[in-house]
Amino acid sequence: MALKSLIARLPYPSRSVQGAIAVAAVVAQAGIGVTGSVVRVTGSGLGCPTWPQCFPGSLVPVAHPELETLNQWIEFSNRLLTVVVILVSALAVLAAWRVQIAHPERRRALKLAWAMPGGVVLQAVVGGMTVLAKLEWWTVAIHFLVSTPLVWLAVLLVRAFHEGDEPARWLVPPLARKLLVTLVVAMWAVLIAGTTVTGAGPHGGDPATHRLDAPIEVLAQVHGGLLVCYLLVLAMFGLVLMRGGTPPAVWRRYAVVWVVALAQGVLGSVQYALGIPEALVSLHVLGSALVIVATAALWCGCRDRGPVVSAAPAPPQSPELTTA
């Protein structure tokens, strides 16, 4: 109660501030995955060989004859970025909590906001396991996959700050709803398959780490095939929308998904054809985050929860109403 009283004294966040914090959460959750890929492609995954310390007895890098200084600082910098994610997550919780105090019905945004710091804690634990396991490919895959629902939830948080709390009303036909769920499942299948390609690829984060003993050509074909399935479902979803009655905002989000997904597919093909160069690997990870963001935005756009009621604090009740 004391903490709630302190939060109630904070300035009420405007609608633009609410939105900015939620967008920052999306960027932070997606960005930490991209910087993690930089650690991996530069072979810096064990630049800090222990966790939570960088070296035994030291939180920061120290001179070591067997480790390059640059690799140490790349890994350490990625760990420092976790602090930024924590700060953004804390701001999201404070903003959503302050709004919920003024508007008690705004519980959904607060729940989504709490998922941000909760996810950071989970990621920290999984990241520690990854380091202690010497970057075994499957731990790296789990580390990446844990971040994907956090990006999705951050997009839902953006939407929650800009809509009401009425029961969700679908804006698309029942068949389109089923296809949309299938699309989301296909998206995560593509992401999971992508981690196996990474696990068998040349960029393991450290030259000595074990790799997935499977033909990368086959894994890449499975990954590409699942992307084709994703695009086919997306096309069928669009055909159903053409029956009429679809709001223009849904069509705009639908078009963005096509642009992002096709660009990601082209990038993946070029990356594979060129022998998986380091820079394109990180761009491909960024592309995967953008696919999640675009698909989540489409999901949100297909549902309506009424107008937002938390642009300003709720007016205080008059004494007559309070005593009535």
Side-chain angles (χ1 to χ4, degrees):
M1 293 299 294
L3 180 57
K4 182 177 180 179
S5 177
L6 289 174
I7 294 174
R9 297 178 183 178
L10 294 174
Y12 190 86
S14 66
R15 188 171 179 179
S16 60
V17 169
Q18 295 174 36
I21 291 175
V23 170
V26 175
V27 174
Q29 297 293 354
I32 196 71
V34 177
T35 58
S37 73
V38 174
V39 172
R40 179 162 51 82
V41 299
T42 57
S44 306
L46 294 178
C48 288
T50 63
W51 185 90
Q53 295 180 326
C54 184
F55 282 87
S58 176
L59 288 172
V60 300
V62 296
H64 194 284
E66 298 180 4
L67 294 172
E68 293 289 338
T69 301
L70 179 60
N71 293 134
Q72 294 182 46
W73 281 100
I74 290 175
E75 163 62 10
F76 182 67
S77 297
N78 186 60
R79 294 188 182 188
L80 285 180
L81 283 176
T82 303
V83 177
V84 177
V85 181
I86 291 173
L87 292 175
V88 172
S89 300
L91 287 174
V93 171
L94 289 175
W97 201 346
R98 179 65 184 86
V99 170
Q100 195 269 336
I101 289 173
H103 299 272
E105 72 280 5
R106 300 287 283 162
R107 292 185 294 272
R108 189 168 58 90
L110 182 58
K111 291 178 181 178
L112 288 169
W114 271 114
M116 298 299 102
V120 172
V121 173
L122 178 60
Q123 274 288 61
V125 172
V126 175
M129 292 171 53
T130 302
V131 172
L132 297 178
K134 305 301 180 184
L135 305 184
E136 288 287 341
W137 76 269
W138 55 270
T139 63
V140 175
I142 293 174
H143 195 31
F144 169 75
L145 291 174
V146 167
S147 68
T148 57
L150 296 177
V151 177
W152 179 278
L153 292 174
V155 176
L156 265 60
L157 178 61
V158 174
R159 178 70 172 186
F161 274 133
H162 290 88
E163 66 180 358
D165 286 88
E166 299 174 6
R169 179 176 63 87
W170 284 94
L171 304 176
V172 296
L175 179 57
R177 286 183 246 165
K178 295 178 181 179
L179 288 171
L180 189 58
V181 172
T182 305
L183 184 72
V184 174
V185 173
M187 179 194 72
W188 259 293
V190 173
L191 294 171
I192 293 171
T195 63
T196 65
V197 179
T198 299
H203 306 298
D206 186 82
T209 190
H210 294 153
R211 312 303 295 137
L212 173 59
D213 187 15
I216 191 172
E217 296 83 3
V218 175
L219 296 175
Q221 289 173 0
V222 172
H223 179 49
L226 287 171
L227 177 60
V228 171
C229 291
Y230 173 90
L231 294 175
L232 287 175
V233 175
L234 185 62
M236 289 188 289
F237 178 78
L239 290 175
V240 174
L241 294 185
M242 290 178 67
R243 293 180 179 179
T246 303
V250 175
W251 279 115
R252 289 193 294 269
R253 291 167 186 253
Y254 177 74
V256 170
V257 175
W258 267 111
V259 171
V260 173
L262 288 176
Q264 177 72 338
V266 171
L267 178 59
S269 300
V270 172
Q271 172 188 254
Y272 184 76
L274 295 180
I276 317 180
E278 290 86 350
L280 292 188
V281 171
S282 293
L283 284 176
H284 200 51
V285 172
L286 174 61
S288 67
L290 293 177
V291 169
I292 297 171
V293 171
T295 307
L298 177 62
W299 173 276
C300 293
C302 291
R303 295 148 57 99
D304 178 57
R305 291 181 179 271
V308 64
V309 297
S310 56
Q317 291 184 328
S318 65
E320 293 79 6
L321 292 176
T322 303
T323 57

